[in-house]
Amino acid sequence: MLHLPVLITDLGLILAAAGITTLLFKKIKQPLVLGYILAGLLVGPHIKFVPTVTDNESVHIWAEIGVIFLLFSLGLEFSFKKLVKVGGSASITAIVEVVFMLIIGFVAGKAMGWATMDSIFLGGILSVSSTTIIIRAFEELGVKHKKFAGLVFGVLIVEDLVAILLLVLLSTLAVSQQFAGSEMVFSILKLCFFLVLWFIGGIFLVPTFLKATRKLMNDETMLVVSIALCLLMVMLAVQVGFSPALGAFIMGSILAETTQAEKIEHLTKSVKDLFAAIFFVSVGMLIDPGILIDYALPILVITLATVAGKFLSSGLGALLSGQPLKTAVQTGLSLAQIGEFSFIIATLGLTLKVTSDFLYPIAVAVSAITTFTTPYLIKASEPFYLFLERTLPKKWVAAISRYSSSTAGITTLSDWKILLKAYTFNTIIHSVILIGIIFLSSRYLHPLITKNLINGNKGIIITLVLSLIIMAPFLWALAIRRIERKAYSHLWLNKKYTRGPLISLEVLRIGLAVFSVGFLLFQFYNTWIAVTIALALIVSVMTIFSRKLQRFYDTLENRFLYNLNARETQNAQPEILPWDTHLAELSVAPESSLVGKSLIELAVREKYGVNIAMIERGKIMIPTPSRDERLYPNDKVLLIGTDDQLAAVKDLFEGSTEENKENNFPKKDMTLQKIVINSSSPVFAQTIRDSGIREKTQGLVVGIERNGKRILNPDSNLVFENEDIVWIVGNNKKIPDLLKKL
């Protein structure tokens, strides 16, 4: 008798339970994540009246794979370029929210008598909002075109990066079991170092590889390659001491910069959905209903702290960043929930065995409650803003408005700011690259050479020569390359400033380059003679071959910038944000009344107050279209307007169901039917055109059988005669009424 492995039995049970519960939650229009959690509760060890998963260890392995793919998909939606683009408003809002929620969570935990580590992890759990739940709620409520939605998405992008940082810091704290400042600083520096190194290396190599193999890539190979890249980065992250989730997130964010990002996201969606479902089911399996009953009061307290704390903190952050009161209120109420990252942080505490058993189910319960409340809070945000506007003192409202208007225009930079920003960026980037080369040289290149080629002093010399050759262009960029020539010239020629600071910056750059070479040499030698000789050689080489190094470095830089901007260039959009208006993209539905009409006929500016900035038609971009340009099905139109104006025109683009309800019926109702005409029929002795069959029954006469002869596609002037057998294609619900209604 064949024996079925327990793993397959458990997987079948998990997916069956998940399938049933998600169908139910789909029916009642609730987030599927809650359905997965309920499925896990049912098949978990605490519910006895249904079959239970037996091999929990294997399920946890599947769940870890689920976390990897969940973070990989979040990385695909993240993109470092998006992080740069969200600007100060989203960054300030996110940072204020995270800091406040960390404090609120910690204080709430200590107030309830919890242990310090439980309170710290509670703060981490409450600090990050749910990207999945917010996107789903925005889609269902149709508010993605509104101004505050752009700010919320920006905050979520920053929060994703902060959550990754929290995972690293909480792991360090959990291992050390104390607030060791030096370890925390080292962990942050280590994370920043590898983030920069992986980003630079990934952007340089991965898009180049995908472009070179583009002709060989079909959907199958693209899926395999994408998952392979994800798992390779996971292995690399674990190798240097980080979590697998971080590696998956980093590779997702690297692939998000490529022109293949949308295709990869589409191909991996099914894989992500499958393993994410297993992860969320495993979340539900860890819930003990008894604990939920025992801790009902803490759950209520934490839920209220989450909703109120996130509303106040993110609303305050939005106000501080210069957003109007309305946008701040809408943003605060939209972010008032916790989700997938909270589960991952709670799982981390359990895995490291530093948190109590009750914290995990409490976090899941709070997430479930706030998930239910999110759509209602988003709906109530605008009425609540109107209430605040009426209630708050007029001086406060006016002051907020003045502050918002004044911060909107702060965009100028002095020459010193431009120069210092460029020098800082240049120094950090090239220092990280040089340290990475030195690390790889001492850890991998030298053992490889001494083991396979030549040992002893000669092996060291070969290692140093190869390392210095690789480092040379980056040493040149760090020490000699001219940066922001215009700003530098202004400052050098300006007599108000001394040239001392500029000279000091150049000396600092050269000193860092010398230090990098010395750091490499000290990996192998301790004698100052060798250091002096090597430094003399490297300075000579960089001086003699300066132009060649410049050309080679420019080639590398151009390739990096091309890869970095390829996706943005492909999907370029103008950035126009006057006053209170903002950009929104709407698609022209095939059933929309806009189809086929020119812009002058539509007159959307005159009727609705919005302007059309650009039309995207497949791969064709039409910026500032002319008045004679027409709209076609599935055109993507970039509109400029206020929330109210865009809301008014949104239904026009999507197509009104009311205006076409007579023509809307299911495809299955379109059938071929036969009707016999007699002398009492209303259409007897009338032509096909005059009978009104097309207009009144949505039917088309395709054939007539008369006296044994068949007439295919008869002329519209043909007259119906007695005993004609008429074949009609049309709405089967209206054609049978032909004889009594016509």
Side-chain angles (χ1 to χ4, degrees):
M1 183 176 178
L2 292 175
H3 175 68
L4 193 63
V6 175
L7 176 62
I8 297 177
T9 306
D10 287 344
L11 186 60
L13 181 61
I14 288 172
L15 294 180
I20 294 170
T21 53
T22 49
L23 287 173
L24 174 63
F25 274 68
K26 193 82 172 176
K27 180 70 175 177
I28 61 178
K29 298 182 179 179
Q30 294 299 326
L32 299 185
V33 172
L34 297 179
Y36 293 139
I37 294 173
L38 177 60
L41 181 63
L42 293 175
V43 300
H46 305 290
I47 303 294
K48 302 299 183 183
F49 57 85
V50 293
T52 302
V53 170
T54 55
D55 189 359
N56 290 329
E57 186 176 346
S58 296
V59 173
H60 291 156
I61 294 174
W62 287 106
E64 189 167 351
I65 298 174
V67 173
I68 289 171
F69 283 109
L70 186 63
L71 269 293
F72 180 63
S73 66
L74 286 174
L76 283 170
E77 298 170 3
F78 171 79
S79 165
F80 284 96
K81 291 295 288 297
K82 287 183 181 178
L83 180 61
V84 174
K85 283 185 174 182
V86 296
S89 295
S91 301
I92 293 171
T93 305
I95 291 169
V96 171
E97 179 198 350
V98 170
V99 171
F100 269 75
M101 292 311 298
L102 282 169
I103 296 171
I104 289 172
F106 180 78
V107 171
K110 296 301 288 184
M112 291 184 290
W114 291 4
T116 299
M117 199 59 67
D118 288 334
S119 301
I120 292 172
F121 269 82
L122 177 62
I125 288 168
L126 300 187
S127 62
V128 187
S129 299
S130 172
T131 303
T132 305
I133 293 168
I134 290 175
I135 291 175
R136 175 70 181 272
F138 277 9
E139 289 175 348
E140 291 177 349
L141 297 174
V143 297
K144 289 179 73 174
H145 65 283
K146 294 197 173 184
K147 185 178 181 180
F148 78 93
L151 178 62
V152 171
F153 289 141
V155 171
L156 292 172
I157 289 170
V158 179
E159 282 190 350
D160 285 346
L161 190 58
V162 172
I164 292 294
L165 179 62
L166 278 176
L167 286 175
V168 176
L169 294 181
L170 290 173
S171 299
T172 305
L173 184 61
V175 171
S176 64
Q177 288 288 309
Q178 58 184 351
F179 290 98
S182 58
E183 290 186 13
M184 285 291 184
V185 172
F186 176 75
S187 297
I188 293 173
L189 291 175
K190 182 180 176 183
L191 174 64
C192 293
F193 171 78
F194 280 105
L195 282 177
V196 173
L197 189 63
W198 288 337
F199 175 70
I200 295 171
I203 292 298
F204 187 82
L205 297 174
V206 173
T208 304
F209 167 73
L210 292 178
K211 184 180 179 181
T213 57
R214 183 174 53 189
K215 293 182 180 179
L216 304 174
M217 290 279 191
N218 55 20
D219 287 353
E220 180 182 355
T221 52
M222 179 64 81
L223 175 63
V224 172
V225 168
S226 302
I227 294 177
L229 289 172
C230 170
L231 295 179
L232 284 173
M233 184 58 80
V234 166
M235 293 164 57
L236 183 58
V238 173
Q239 189 71 25
V240 296
F242 293 121
S243 68
L246 174 62
F249 183 83
I250 293 298
M251 182 49 69
S253 62
I254 290 171
L255 290 173
E257 306 296 352
T258 68
T259 56
Q260 303 292 325
E262 287 85 0
K263 184 176 182 181
I264 293 171
E265 190 174 354
H266 172 72
L267 291 173
T268 57
K269 185 178 184 301
S270 299
V271 180
K272 182 264 293 185
D273 289 343
L274 173 64
F275 287 106
I278 297 173
F279 166 68
F280 287 119
V281 170
S282 71
V283 168
M285 290 172 59
L286 293 171
I287 299 175
D288 185 350
I291 291 179
L292 297 183
I293 296 171
D294 295 338
Y295 287 86
L297 182 59
I299 289 172
L300 178 61
V301 170
I302 295 170
T303 300
L304 294 175
T306 301
V307 175
K310 281 185 170 287
F311 165 65
L312 293 174
S313 59
S314 53
L316 176 62
L319 288 176
L320 290 175
S321 68
Q323 295 299 319
L325 179 61
K326 180 180 180 181
T327 302
V329 171
Q330 291 175 316
T331 301
L333 290 175
S334 298
L335 293 167
Q337 81 290 120
I338 59 175
E340 56 276 0
F341 259 122
S342 302
F343 298 150
I344 295 169
I345 292 173
T347 304
L348 177 67
L350 277 184
T351 305
L352 298 175
K353 298 180 180 179
V354 294
T355 57
S356 303
D357 292 338
F358 61 78
L359 182 60
Y360 192 95
I362 286 177
V364 175
V366 172
S367 174
I369 296 170
T370 53
T371 298
F372 277 117
T373 59
T374 294
Y376 300 104
L377 291 175
I378 295 172
K379 283 182 183 178
S381 61
E382 192 163 347
F384 186 60
Y385 154 72
L386 296 173
F387 168 75
L388 286 179
E389 192 178 37
R390 292 192 306 268
T391 307
L392 291 175
K394 300 298 181 184
K395 291 182 180 179
W396 293 12
V397 177
I400 292 172
S401 179
R402 285 195 303 271
Y403 177 75
S404 173
S405 301
S406 64
T407 55
I410 303 175
T411 56
T412 58
L413 289 174
S414 68
D415 287 333
W416 269 116
K417 287 184 179 179
I418 293 171
L419 191 68
L420 290 174
K421 182 179 178 181
Y423 270 54
T424 302
F425 186 77
N426 181 73
T427 302
I428 292 173
I429 293 296
H430 294 103
S431 296
V432 168
I433 293 174
L434 290 170
I435 293 171
I437 294 172
I438 294 169
F439 174 80
L440 292 173
S441 174
S442 60
R443 284 288 190 92
Y444 299 102
L445 180 60
H446 180 246
L448 181 68
I449 290 174
T450 55
K451 184 177 180 180
N452 298 300
L453 294 178
I454 189 168
N455 205 342
N457 195 51
K458 291 182 179 179
I460 293 175
I461 293 173
I462 293 173
T463 303
L464 287 174
V465 170
L466 290 175
S467 301
L468 290 171
I469 289 173
I470 297 171
M471 291 170 64
F474 305 107
L475 287 169
W476 173 86
L478 177 63
I480 301 174
R481 182 191 180 207
R482 293 287 125 221
I483 307 170
E484 292 292 346
R485 293 173 181 268
K486 188 176 180 181
Y488 190 94
S489 299
H490 287 170
L491 293 171
W492 185 264
L493 298 173
N494 193 336
K495 294 182 179 180
K496 290 194 301 181
Y497 304 105
T498 62
R499 295 175 179 177
L502 295 176
I503 295 173
S504 299
L505 285 175
E506 297 302 324
V507 171
L508 177 63
R509 293 174 63 193
I510 295 171
L512 287 173
V514 172
F515 174 79
S516 299
V517 177
F519 186 60
L520 171 67
L521 294 168
F522 277 122
Q523 304 297 312
F524 305 99
Y525 291 113
N526 289 320
T527 60
W528 283 103
I529 297 174
V531 172
T532 305
I533 294 172
L535 288 177
L537 286 173
I538 194 66
V539 170
S540 302
V541 169
M542 289 180 65
T543 304
I544 296 170
F545 298 102
S546 179
R547 291 190 177 182
K548 290 186 178 180
L549 288 173
Q550 180 177 351
R551 286 196 296 270
F552 181 69
Y553 179 84
D554 288 342
T555 302
L556 295 178
E557 185 180 53
N558 291 334
R559 167 55 60 183
F560 176 82
L561 292 175
Y562 175 81
N563 290 345
L564 183 64
N565 298 317
R567 184 183 181 188
E568 185 182 36
T569 303
Q570 180 176 285
N571 302 314
Q573 292 183 351
E575 295 185 6
I576 311 170
L577 295 170
W579 304 295
D580 192 35
T581 60
H582 63 284
L583 294 173
E585 185 179 85
L586 296 176
S587 295
V588 180
E591 64 272 16
S592 170
S593 59
L594 303 178
V595 172
K597 293 183 179 179
S598 65
L599 300 188
I600 190 173
E601 292 173 330
L602 297 174
V604 289
R605 178 190 293 179
E606 292 77 8
K607 293 179 181 178
Y608 301 97
V610 299
N611 289 288
I612 296 179
M614 187 175 71
I615 299 173
E616 180 182 348
R617 184 172 298 145
K619 296 182 178 179
I620 301 173
M621 299 290 178
I622 309 172
T624 57
S626 67
R627 58 193 299 180
D628 297 321
E629 188 66 49
R630 297 181 182 275
L631 294 180
Y632 295 100
N634 299 314
D635 276 356
K636 294 180 180 178
V637 182
L638 197 66
L639 299 167
I640 307 171
T642 64
D643 283 348
D644 295 336
Q645 291 169 341
L646 293 169
V649 80
K650 184 170 176 283
D651 291 338
L652 194 64
F653 276 80
E654 293 178 349
S656 172
T657 54
E658 289 295 323
E659 64 186 24
N660 295 317
K661 64 182 180 181
E662 287 297 319
N663 297 318
N664 291 337
F665 58 88
K667 185 178 178 181
K668 63 182 181 181
D669 290 347
M670 178 66 78
T671 59
L672 178 65
Q673 298 182 62
K674 178 178 71 173
I675 291 179
V676 180
I677 304 296
N678 54 47
S679 57
S680 61
S681 298
V683 299
F684 175 70
Q686 294 186 29
T687 64
I688 296 174
R689 177 181 298 157
D690 295 337
S691 67
I693 290 175
R694 179 189 294 268
E695 295 79 10
K696 297 179 181 179
T697 70
Q698 299 172 321
L700 179 67
V701 177
V702 295
I704 295 177
E705 186 174 343
R706 178 180 294 171
N707 300 324
K709 295 181 179 179
R710 296 177 179 175
I711 306 171
L712 185 63
N713 297 324
D715 187 86
S716 60
N717 294 316
L718 186 69
V719 178
F720 288 116
E721 296 182 1
N722 189 33
E723 297 185 355
D724 276 353
I725 301 174
V726 182
W727 296 90
I728 303 175
V729 173
N731 189 341
N732 61 14
K733 294 181 179 178
K734 293 188 175 184
I735 291 176
D737 298 332
L738 177 67
L739 293 178
K740 58 184 179 182
K741 284 193 174 182
L742 287 177

